[in-house]
Amino acid sequence: MNLSKYLLLAAMALGSASVYAEGGAERSKQFWEAFRQDQARLYGDQQQAIAERERKAQAKAREVAKD
């Protein structure tokens, strides 16, 4: 193996070891859980997004009707 492969292996070993240092594994898990929740909120169920838009439109129509 040449030098670049050894450097790549060393970088990967150091990077993976840092995850386990002082709660790194927990922080990594928390990050990915929060990421999944954000993605579900943003791109989740399309029917839920459509229903939310309809509710907002109805609320706006009620405000206009009151005026």
Side-chain angles (χ1 to χ4, degrees):
M1 290 175 50
N2 56 15
L3 183 59
S4 63
K5 289 183 182 179
Y6 286 120
L7 291 175
L8 178 62
L9 287 173
M12 290 176 61
L14 290 174
S16 64
S18 67
V19 170
Y20 297 108
E22 294 186 31
E26 288 81 16
R27 286 192 306 265
S28 178
K29 288 177 185 177
Q30 289 172 352
F31 168 78
W32 285 111
E33 182 63 30
F35 178 76
R36 287 185 192 106
Q37 289 175 355
D38 286 341
Q39 292 299 308
R41 182 180 51 83
L42 293 174
Y43 304 109
D45 188 14
Q46 293 297 325
Q47 296 298 327
Q48 182 181 5
I50 292 170
E52 183 67 28
R53 276 185 265 157
E54 288 176 357
R55 273 185 261 150
K56 287 180 181 179
Q58 288 175 354
K60 189 173 183 178
R62 285 186 204 127
E63 289 178 18
V64 171
K66 288 180 182 178
D67 293 336

Coordinates of all heavy atoms in Angstrom, one line a residue:
M1 N 0.8 -1.2 0.0 CA 0.0 0.0 0.0 C 0.9 1.2 0.0 O 1.9 1.3 0.6 CB -0.9 0.0 1.2 CG -2.0 -1.1 1.2 SD -3.0 -1.2 2.7 CE -3.6 0.4 3.0
N2 N 0.4 2.3 -0.7 CA 1.2 3.5 -0.7 C 0.9 4.4 0.4 O 0.0 4.2 1.2 CB 1.1 4.2 -2.1 CG -0.3 4.5 -2.4 OD1 -1.2 4.4 -1.6 ND2 -0.6 4.8 -3.7
L3 N 1.6 5.5 0.5 CA 1.4 6.4 1.6 C 0.0 7.1 1.7 O -0.5 7.2 2.8 CB 2.5 7.6 1.5 CG 2.5 8.6 2.6 CD1 2.8 7.9 4.0 CD2 3.6 9.6 2.4
S4 N -0.6 7.3 0.6 CA -1.9 8.0 0.6 C -3.0 7.1 1.3 O -3.8 7.5 2.0 CB -2.3 8.4 -0.8 OG -2.5 7.3 -1.6
K5 N -2.8 5.8 1.0 CA -3.8 4.8 1.6 C -3.6 4.8 3.1 O -4.6 4.7 3.9 CB -3.6 3.5 1.0 CG -4.1 3.4 -0.4 CD -4.0 2.0 -1.0 CE -4.5 2.0 -2.4 NZ -4.4 0.6 -3.0
Y6 N -2.3 4.8 3.6 CA -2.1 4.8 5.0 C -2.6 6.1 5.7 O -3.2 6.1 6.8 CB -0.6 4.7 5.3 CG -0.1 3.3 5.1 CD1 0.9 3.1 4.2 CD2 -0.6 2.2 5.8 CE1 1.4 1.8 4.0 CE2 -0.1 0.9 5.6 CZ 0.9 0.7 4.7 OH 1.4 -0.5 4.5
L7 N -2.5 7.2 5.0 CA -3.0 8.5 5.5 C -4.5 8.5 5.6 O -5.1 8.9 6.6 CB -2.5 9.7 4.7 CG -1.0 10.0 4.8 CD1 -0.6 11.1 3.8 CD2 -0.6 10.4 6.2
L8 N -5.1 7.9 4.6 CA -6.6 7.8 4.6 C -7.1 6.9 5.8 O -8.0 7.2 6.5 CB -7.1 7.2 3.3 CG -8.6 7.0 3.2 CD1 -9.3 8.4 3.3 CD2 -8.9 6.4 1.8
L9 N -6.4 5.8 6.0 CA -6.8 4.9 7.1 C -6.6 5.5 8.4 O -7.4 5.4 9.3 CB -5.9 3.6 7.0 CG -6.3 2.6 5.9 CD1 -5.3 1.5 5.8 CD2 -7.7 2.1 6.1
A10 N -5.5 6.3 8.6 CA -5.2 7.0 9.8 C -6.3 8.1 10.1 O -6.8 8.2 11.2 CB -3.9 7.6 9.8
A11 N -6.7 8.8 9.1 CA -7.7 9.8 9.2 C -9.1 9.2 9.6 O -9.8 9.7 10.4 CB -7.8 10.6 7.9
M12 N -9.4 8.1 9.0 CA -10.6 7.4 9.3 C -10.6 6.9 10.7 O -11.6 7.0 11.4 CB -10.9 6.3 8.3 CG -11.2 6.8 6.9 SD -11.4 5.5 5.7 CE -12.8 4.6 6.4
A13 N -9.5 6.3 11.2 CA -9.4 5.8 12.5 C -9.5 6.9 13.5 O -10.2 6.8 14.6 CB -8.1 5.1 12.7
L14 N -8.9 8.0 13.3 CA -9.0 9.2 14.3 C -10.4 9.7 14.3 O -10.9 10.1 15.3 CB -7.9 10.2 13.9 CG -6.5 9.9 14.2 CD1 -5.6 11.0 13.6 CD2 -6.2 9.6 15.6
G15 N -11.0 9.8 13.1 CA -12.4 10.4 13.0 C -13.4 9.5 13.8 O -14.2 10.0 14.5
S16 N -13.2 8.2 13.6 CA -14.2 7.3 14.3 C -13.9 7.2 15.8 O -14.9 7.0 16.5 CB -14.2 5.9 13.6 OG -12.9 5.3 13.8
A17 N -12.7 7.4 16.2 CA -12.4 7.3 17.6 C -12.9 8.6 18.3 O -13.3 8.5 19.5 CB -10.9 7.2 17.8
S18 N -13.0 9.7 17.6 CA -13.4 10.9 18.3 C -14.9 10.9 18.6 O -15.4 11.6 19.5 CB -13.1 12.1 17.4 OG -13.9 12.1 16.2
V19 N -15.7 10.0 17.9 CA -17.1 9.9 18.2 C -17.3 9.3 19.6 O -18.3 9.7 20.3 CB -17.8 9.0 17.1 CG1 -19.2 8.6 17.5 CG2 -17.7 9.7 15.8
Y20 N -16.5 8.5 20.0 CA -16.7 7.8 21.3 C -16.1 8.6 22.5 O -16.2 8.2 23.6 CB -16.1 6.4 21.3 CG -16.8 5.5 20.3 CD1 -16.2 5.2 19.1 CD2 -18.1 5.1 20.5 CE1 -16.8 4.4 18.1 CE2 -18.7 4.3 19.6 CZ -18.1 4.0 18.4 OH -18.8 3.2 17.5
A21 N -15.4 9.7 22.2 CA -14.8 10.4 23.3 C -15.8 11.3 24.0 O -16.5 12.1 23.4 CB -13.7 11.3 22.7
E22 N -15.9 11.2 25.3 CA -16.7 12.0 26.2 C -18.2 12.2 25.6 O -18.6 13.3 25.4 CB -16.1 13.4 26.4 CG -14.8 13.3 27.2 CD -14.2 14.6 27.5 OE1 -15.0 15.6 27.7 OE2 -13.0 14.7 27.6
G23 N -18.9 11.2 25.5 CA -20.3 11.3 25.1 C -20.5 11.6 23.6 O -21.6 12.0 23.2
G24 N -19.5 11.4 22.8 CA -19.6 11.7 21.4 C -20.6 10.8 20.7 O -21.3 11.2 19.8
A25 N -20.7 9.6 21.1 CA -21.7 8.7 20.5 C -23.1 9.2 20.8 O -24.0 9.2 19.9 CB -21.6 7.3 21.1
E26 N -23.4 9.7 22.0 CA -24.7 10.2 22.4 C -25.0 11.5 21.6 O -26.1 11.6 21.1 CB -24.8 10.5 23.9 CG -24.9 9.2 24.7 CD -23.5 8.6 25.0 OE1 -22.5 9.3 24.8 OE2 -23.4 7.5 25.4
R27 N -24.0 12.3 21.4 CA -24.2 13.5 20.6 C -24.5 13.2 19.2 O -25.4 13.8 18.6 CB -23.0 14.4 20.7 CG -22.8 15.1 22.0 CD -21.8 16.2 22.0 NE -20.5 15.8 21.5 CZ -19.5 15.4 22.2 NH1 -19.6 15.4 23.6 NH2 -18.4 15.0 21.7
S28 N -23.8 12.2 18.7 CA -24.1 11.8 17.3 C -25.5 11.3 17.1 O -26.2 11.6 16.2 CB -23.1 10.7 16.9 OG -23.3 10.3 15.6
K29 N -25.9 10.4 18.1 CA -27.3 9.9 18.0 C -28.3 11.0 18.1 O -29.3 11.0 17.5 CB -27.5 8.9 19.2 CG -26.8 7.6 18.9 CD -27.0 6.7 20.1 CE -26.2 5.4 19.9 NZ -26.3 4.5 21.1
Q30 N -28.1 12.0 19.0 CA -29.0 13.1 19.2 C -29.1 13.9 17.9 O -30.2 14.4 17.5 CB -28.6 14.0 20.4 CG -28.7 13.4 21.7 CD -28.1 14.2 22.8 OE1 -27.4 15.2 22.5 NE2 -28.3 13.8 24.1
F31 N -27.9 14.2 17.3 CA -27.9 14.9 16.0 C -28.8 14.2 15.0 O -29.6 14.9 14.3 CB -26.5 15.1 15.5 CG -26.5 15.6 14.1 CD1 -26.7 17.0 13.9 CD2 -26.3 14.8 13.0 CE1 -26.7 17.4 12.6 CE2 -26.2 15.2 11.7 CZ -26.4 16.6 11.5
W32 N -28.6 12.9 14.8 CA -29.3 12.2 13.7 C -30.8 12.1 14.1 O -31.6 12.2 13.2 CB -28.7 10.9 13.5 CG -27.4 11.0 12.8 CD1 -26.2 10.7 13.2 CD2 -27.3 11.4 11.4 NE1 -25.2 11.0 12.2 CE2 -25.9 11.4 11.1 CE3 -28.1 11.9 10.4 CZ2 -25.4 11.8 9.9 CZ3 -27.6 12.3 9.2 CH2 -26.2 12.2 9.0
E33 N -31.2 12.0 15.3 CA -32.6 12.0 15.7 C -33.2 13.3 15.4 O -34.3 13.4 14.8 CB -32.7 11.6 17.2 CG -34.2 11.5 17.6 CD -34.9 10.4 16.9 OE1 -34.3 9.4 16.5 OE2 -36.1 10.6 16.8
A34 N -32.6 14.4 15.8 CA -33.1 15.7 15.5 C -33.2 16.0 14.0 O -34.1 16.6 13.5 CB -32.2 16.8 16.1
F35 N -32.2 15.5 13.2 CA -32.2 15.6 11.8 C -33.4 14.9 11.2 O -34.1 15.4 10.3 CB -30.9 15.1 11.2 CG -30.8 15.1 9.7 CD1 -30.6 16.3 9.1 CD2 -31.0 14.0 9.0 CE1 -30.5 16.4 7.7 CE2 -30.9 14.0 7.6 CZ -30.7 15.2 7.0
R36 N -33.6 13.7 11.6 CA -34.8 12.9 11.1 C -36.1 13.6 11.4 O -37.0 13.6 10.6 CB -34.8 11.5 11.7 CG -33.7 10.6 11.1 CD -33.8 9.2 11.6 NE -32.6 8.5 11.3 CZ -31.6 8.1 12.1 NH1 -31.8 8.4 13.4 NH2 -30.6 7.5 11.7
Q37 N -36.2 14.2 12.7 CA -37.4 14.9 13.0 C -37.7 16.1 12.2 O -38.8 16.4 11.7 CB -37.4 15.2 14.5 CG -37.6 14.1 15.4 CD -37.4 14.4 16.9 OE1 -37.1 15.6 17.2 NE2 -37.6 13.5 17.8
D38 N -36.6 16.8 11.9 CA -36.7 18.0 11.0 C -37.1 17.6 9.6 O -37.9 18.3 9.0 CB -35.4 18.8 11.0 CG -35.1 19.6 12.3 OD1 -36.1 19.8 13.0 OD2 -34.0 20.0 12.5
Q39 N -36.5 16.6 9.1 CA -36.8 16.1 7.8 C -38.3 15.7 7.7 O -39.0 15.9 6.7 CB -35.9 15.0 7.3 CG -34.5 15.4 7.1 CD -34.4 16.5 6.1 OE1 -34.8 16.3 5.0 NE2 -33.7 17.6 6.4
A40 N -38.7 15.0 8.7 CA -40.1 14.5 8.8 C -41.1 15.7 8.8 O -42.1 15.7 8.2 CB -40.4 13.6 9.9
R41 N -40.7 16.7 9.6 CA -41.5 17.9 9.7 C -41.5 18.7 8.3 O -42.6 19.1 7.9 CB -40.9 18.9 10.8 CG -41.8 20.1 11.0 CD -41.2 21.0 12.1 NE -39.7 21.2 11.9 CZ -39.3 22.2 11.1 NH1 -40.1 23.0 10.5 NH2 -38.0 22.4 11.1
L42 N -40.4 18.8 7.7 CA -40.4 19.5 6.4 C -40.9 18.7 5.2 O -41.7 19.3 4.4 CB -38.9 19.9 6.1 CG -38.3 20.9 7.1 CD1 -36.8 21.1 6.7 CD2 -39.0 22.2 7.0
Y43 N -40.6 17.5 5.2 CA -41.0 16.7 4.0 C -41.8 15.5 4.3 O -41.9 14.6 3.5 CB -39.7 16.2 3.3 CG -38.8 17.3 2.9 CD1 -37.6 17.5 3.6 CD2 -39.1 18.2 1.9 CE1 -36.7 18.5 3.2 CE2 -38.2 19.2 1.6 CZ -37.1 19.4 2.3 OH -36.2 20.4 1.9
G44 N -42.5 15.5 5.4 CA -43.3 14.4 5.9 C -44.5 14.1 5.0 O -44.5 14.4 3.8
D45 N -45.5 13.7 5.7 CA -46.7 13.3 5.0 C -47.3 14.4 4.1 O -47.6 15.5 4.7 CB -47.7 12.8 6.0 CG -48.9 12.2 5.4 OD1 -48.9 11.8 4.2 OD2 -49.9 12.0 6.1
Q46 N -47.4 14.2 2.9 CA -48.0 15.2 2.0 C -49.4 15.6 2.3 O -49.8 16.7 2.2 CB -47.8 14.8 0.5 CG -46.4 14.7 0.0 CD -45.7 16.0 0.1 OE1 -46.3 17.1 -0.2 NE2 -44.4 16.0 0.4
Q47 N -50.2 14.6 2.7 CA -51.6 14.9 3.1 C -51.6 15.8 4.3 O -52.5 16.7 4.3 CB -52.3 13.5 3.4 CG -52.4 12.6 2.2 CD -53.2 13.2 1.1 OE1 -54.1 14.0 1.3 NE2 -52.8 12.9 -0.2
Q48 N -50.7 15.6 5.2 CA -50.7 16.5 6.3 C -50.4 17.9 5.9 O -51.0 18.9 6.4 CB -49.7 16.0 7.3 CG -49.6 16.8 8.6 CD -48.5 16.3 9.6 OE1 -47.8 15.4 9.2 NE2 -48.5 16.9 10.7
A49 N -49.5 18.1 5.0 CA -49.1 19.4 4.5 C -50.3 20.1 3.8 O -50.6 21.3 3.9 CB -47.9 19.4 3.6
I50 N -51.0 19.3 3.0 CA -52.2 19.8 2.3 C -53.2 20.3 3.3 O -53.9 21.3 3.1 CB -52.7 18.8 1.3 CG1 -51.7 18.6 0.1 CG2 -54.0 19.2 0.7 CD1 -52.0 17.4 -0.8
A51 N -53.5 19.4 4.3 CA -54.5 19.7 5.3 C -54.1 21.0 6.0 O -55.0 21.9 6.3 CB -54.6 18.6 6.2
E52 N -52.8 21.2 6.3 CA -52.4 22.4 7.0 C -52.6 23.6 6.2 O -53.1 24.7 6.7 CB -50.9 22.3 7.4 CG -50.3 23.4 8.2 CD -50.9 23.5 9.6 OE1 -51.3 22.5 10.1 OE2 -51.0 24.7 10.1
R53 N -52.3 23.5 4.9 CA -52.6 24.7 4.0 C -54.0 25.0 3.9 O -54.4 26.2 3.9 CB -52.0 24.4 2.6 CG -50.5 24.7 2.5 CD -50.1 24.5 1.1 NE -49.5 23.2 1.1 CZ -49.4 22.4 0.0 NH1 -49.8 22.9 -1.2 NH2 -48.9 21.2 0.1
E54 N -54.9 24.0 3.9 CA -56.3 24.2 3.8 C -56.8 24.9 5.1 O -57.7 25.8 5.0 CB -57.1 22.9 3.6 CG -56.9 22.4 2.2 CD -57.6 21.0 2.0 OE1 -58.1 20.5 3.0 OE2 -57.5 20.5 0.9
R55 N -56.3 24.5 6.3 CA -56.7 25.1 7.5 C -56.3 26.5 7.6 O -57.0 27.4 8.0 CB -56.0 24.3 8.7 CG -56.9 23.2 9.2 CD -56.3 22.5 10.4 NE -55.5 21.4 9.8 CZ -54.5 20.9 10.4 NH1 -53.9 21.4 11.4 NH2 -53.9 19.8 9.8
K56 N -55.1 26.9 7.1 CA -54.7 28.2 7.0 C -55.5 29.1 6.1 O -55.9 30.2 6.4 CB -53.2 28.3 6.6 CG -52.2 27.9 7.7 CD -50.8 28.0 7.2 CE -49.8 27.5 8.3 NZ -48.4 27.5 7.8
A57 N -55.9 28.5 4.9 CA -56.7 29.2 4.0 C -58.1 29.5 4.6 O -58.7 30.6 4.4 CB -56.9 28.4 2.7
Q58 N -58.7 28.5 5.3 CA -60.0 28.7 5.9 C -59.9 29.7 7.0 O -60.8 30.5 7.2 CB -60.5 27.3 6.5 CG -60.9 26.4 5.5 CD -61.2 25.0 6.1 OE1 -61.1 24.8 7.3 NE2 -61.7 24.1 5.2
A59 N -58.8 29.7 7.8 CA -58.7 30.7 8.9 C -58.6 32.1 8.3 O -59.2 33.1 8.8 CB -57.4 30.4 9.7
K60 N -57.9 32.2 7.2 CA -57.7 33.5 6.5 C -59.1 34.0 6.0 O -59.4 35.2 6.0 CB -56.7 33.4 5.4 CG -56.3 34.8 4.8 CD -55.2 34.6 3.8 CE -54.8 36.0 3.3 NZ -53.7 35.9 2.4
A61 N -59.8 33.0 5.4 CA -61.1 33.4 4.9 C -62.1 33.9 6.0 O -62.9 34.8 5.8 CB -61.7 32.2 4.2
R62 N -62.0 33.2 7.2 CA -62.8 33.7 8.3 C -62.4 35.1 8.7 O -63.3 35.9 9.1 CB -62.6 32.7 9.5 CG -63.3 31.4 9.3 CD -63.2 30.5 10.6 NE -63.4 29.2 10.2 CZ -62.5 28.2 10.5 NH1 -61.5 28.4 11.3 NH2 -62.8 27.0 10.1
E63 N -61.1 35.4 8.7 CA -60.7 36.7 9.1 C -61.2 37.8 8.1 O -61.7 38.8 8.5 CB -59.2 36.8 9.2 CG -58.6 36.1 10.4 CD -57.1 36.1 10.4 OE1 -56.5 37.0 9.7 OE2 -56.5 35.3 11.0
V64 N -61.2 37.4 6.8 CA -61.7 38.3 5.8 C -63.2 38.5 6.0 O -63.7 39.6 5.8 CB -61.3 37.8 4.4 CG1 -62.0 38.6 3.3 CG2 -59.8 37.9 4.2
A65 N -63.9 37.4 6.3 CA -65.3 37.5 6.4 C -65.8 38.3 7.6 O -66.8 39.0 7.6 CB -65.9 36.1 6.5
K66 N -64.9 38.4 8.7 CA -65.3 39.1 9.8 C -65.2 40.6 9.6 O -65.9 41.4 10.1 CB -64.3 38.8 11.0 CG -64.6 37.4 11.6 CD -63.6 37.1 12.7 CE -63.9 35.8 13.3 NZ -62.9 35.5 14.4
D67 N -64.2 41.0 8.7 CA -64.0 42.4 8.4 C -65.1 42.9 7.5 O -66.0 43.2 7.2 CB -62.7 42.6 7.6 CG -61.5 42.3 8.5 OD1 -61.7 42.4 9.8 OD2 -60.5 42.0 8.0

